[in-house]
Amino acid sequence: MASSSPPGGKFSQTMASSSPPGGSEGEEEANLTPLQRHVAFFDRNNDGIIYPSETYQGFRAIGCGVVLSAVSAVFINGFLSPKTNPGKSPFPYFPIYVKNIQEGKHGSDTGVYDSEGRFVASKFEEIFQKHAMTNPEALSSKELKEMLKANQEPNDRKGGLASWTEWRVLYNLCKDKEGFLHKDTIRAVYDGSLFLKLEKERQSSVKKA
């Protein structure tokens, strides 16, 4: 994988650690959509372009194993690179361009990001209104499965697989001791701040070991 990147604009990684950003951390970050902030964590050198090696590094940084991180890098960059590079061949490096990430939105999702990558609060609340039957502020494994089934669009295997993978990884990383995935955790993943939090927690645990 390439160690150098084509020229691109800088994308700040500075985000709130636990709550959605309420103000600008810099002009560039202020111009990012929530979806762009969501993926910017994986832009490890902040050049606006995400290579498979960076996707791998990002997954490892939040605590995923070697195999899952490698498979995720191949799957994610293979799927998103052609969509975010309109008119360009993704070969051989499969870069994802953060500025065009809204072009990579897949079907069978929650609709929390709109077509421009903006956060839709009503769709976020709808997740819990429709599926959080045990705890109004969290989803159980069963409720998560029911949500994914409800969101599945006919003949959309790729979108369904992408949604299932995203949510199962999130659930396995962030469920509590009772098996619930909490609302504030899910909210944090939509603006990318959860990834920074997980990375810091992992770094802290490594230092203590």
Side-chain angles (χ1 to χ4, degrees), residues 12-16 21 23-32 37:
S12 172
Q13 280 184 238
T14 307
M15 288 177 276
S24 173
E25 294 291 341
E27 182 179 349
E28 290 158 355
E29 183 186 349
N31 291 331
L32 296 182
R37 286 196 291 270

Side-chain angles (χ1 to χ4, degrees), residues 132-181:
M133 300 292 102
T134 309
N135 180 340
E137 296 293 313
L139 295 174
S140 67
S141 179
K142 180 181 178 181
E143 290 164 348
L144 181 57
K145 290 178 183 177
E146 291 171 348
M147 182 193 76
L148 291 170
K149 183 178 180 180
N151 291 340
Q152 178 67 54
E153 298 171 6
N155 303 315
D156 181 29
R157 293 183 179 180
K158 288 184 178 180
L161 177 60
S163 289
W164 185 89
T165 303
E166 292 164 356
W167 281 96
R168 294 313 300 185
V169 169
L170 176 62
Y171 179 81
N172 289 333
L173 283 174
C174 299
K175 64 183 177 182
D176 67 13
K177 293 179 180 179
E178 283 73 44
F180 284 100
L181 182 62

Side-chain angles (χ1 to χ4, degrees), residues 192-206:
S193 60
L194 177 67
F195 301 138
L196 288 173
K197 181 173 180 284
L198 290 174
E199 181 177 33
K200 290 177 181 178
E201 288 176 353
R202 183 170 182 270
Q203 290 172 343
S204 178
S205 65
V206 169

Side-chain angles (χ1 to χ4, degrees), residues 36-51:
Q36 288 170 338
R37 286 196 291 270
H38 170 77
V39 302
F41 170 81
F42 296 92
D43 179 14
R44 307 302 283 179
N45 63 355
N46 300 314
D47 67 350
I49 305 169
I50 305 170
Y51 289 95

